[in-house]
């Protein structure tokens, strides 16, 4: 079971990953989006490179790589560039909202690794209830217990 302290440690690792800087050529190789296209997207304001004084090579944070992958995914699904960017921005905002909920997680317990079942214990902001999200053979549901 992952407790709150261990979970917060994992969040710090994620924070460090977000500090990674990736060159435009590497992003192109990983995503399949040409460097020319990436420069165009940046010119249009769809993605942002880091402003560096020492290097002329464009560098991007990991979050921008995810944005490029989302835009490409929507383009591959048949959306035009403007709509793909719009959908990627919506997805980005949804994920940001989900990350805010991560702070409420007190612990995560895997109860069945083979079937990927488990329990997520949430911290109640008012401390009056214990809320647990459960995923098991019955499906997914919440257990709410008054303290």
């Amino acid at each position: 079971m992952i407790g709150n302290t261990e979970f917060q440690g994992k969040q710090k690792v994620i924070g460090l990953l977000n500090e990674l800087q990736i060159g435009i050529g590497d992003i192109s190789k990983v995503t399949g989006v040409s460097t020319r296209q990436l420069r165009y997207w940046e010119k249009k304001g769809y993605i942002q490179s880091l402003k560096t004084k020492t290097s002329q090579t464009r560098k991007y944070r990991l979050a921008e790589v995810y944005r490029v992958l989302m835009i490409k995914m929507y383009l591959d699904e048949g959306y035009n560039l403007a709509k793909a960017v719009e959908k990627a921005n919506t997805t980005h905002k949804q994920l940001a909202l989900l990350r805010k909920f991560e702070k409420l997680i007190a612990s995560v317990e895997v109860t069945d690794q083979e079937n990927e079942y488990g329990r997520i214990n949430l911290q109640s902001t008012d401390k009056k209830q214990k809320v647990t999200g459960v995923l098991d053979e019955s499906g997914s549901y919440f257990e709410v217990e008054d303290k």
Side-chain angles (χ1 to χ4, degrees), residues 7-8 13 16-17 20 23 26 34 37 40 45 49 61 81 83 88 90 96 102 110-111 113-114 119 122 125 133 142:
F7 186 75
Q8 288 173 347
V13 170
L16 289 174
L17 288 174
L20 285 175
D26 292 327
S34 72
Q37 208 170 8
Y40 176 75
S49 64
R61 293 208 189 279
L81 180 58
K83 190 65 174 176
T90 299
E102 286 178 349
V110 177
T111 56
Q113 288 190 12
E114 185 177 324
R119 303 170 65 79
L122 303 174
T125 54
F142 289 100

Side-chain angles (χ1 to χ4, degrees), residues 6-19 62:
E6 187 177 353
F7 186 75
Q8 288 173 347
K10 289 181 185 228
Q11 287 178 315
K12 286 181 184 177
V13 170
I14 291 168
L16 289 174
L17 288 174
N18 286 329
E19 293 301 315
L62 191 57

Side-chain angles (χ1 to χ4, degrees), residues 106-119:
S107 65
V108 178
E109 178 185 4
V110 177
T111 56
D112 182 338
Q113 288 190 12
E114 185 177 324
N115 292 306
E116 298 179 344
Y117 294 153
R119 303 170 65 79

Side-chain angles (χ1 to χ4, degrees), residues 30-86:
V30 169
T31 63
V33 176
S34 72
T35 56
R36 183 177 180 195
Q37 208 170 8
L38 291 168
R39 286 187 200 95
Y40 176 75
W41 292 0
E42 186 174 347
K43 181 180 175 184
K44 295 294 260 178
Y46 300 150
I47 61 174
Q48 289 184 331
S49 64
L50 297 168
K51 305 298 179 213
T52 60
K53 295 176 184 174
T54 58
S55 174
Q56 293 188 356
T57 302
R58 285 179 167 86
K59 301 272 188 189
Y60 299 86
R61 293 208 189 279
L62 191 57
E64 289 304 304
V65 177
Y66 292 133
R67 185 180 304 278
V68 169
L69 286 168
M70 282 190 284
I71 292 170
K72 183 173 185 321
M73 177 188 72
Y74 290 122
L75 287 171
D76 290 347
E77 289 179 6
Y79 293 96
N80 65 37
L81 180 58
K83 190 65 174 176
V85 169
E86 180 185 319

Side-chain angles (χ1 to χ4, degrees), residues 113-130:
Q113 288 190 12
E114 185 177 324
N115 292 306
E116 298 179 344
Y117 294 153
R119 303 170 65 79
I120 299 176
N121 297 309
L122 303 174
Q123 299 176 31
S124 173
T125 54
D126 63 7
K127 310 275 190 224
K128 294 180 182 177
Q129 293 180 321
K130 178 182 175 186

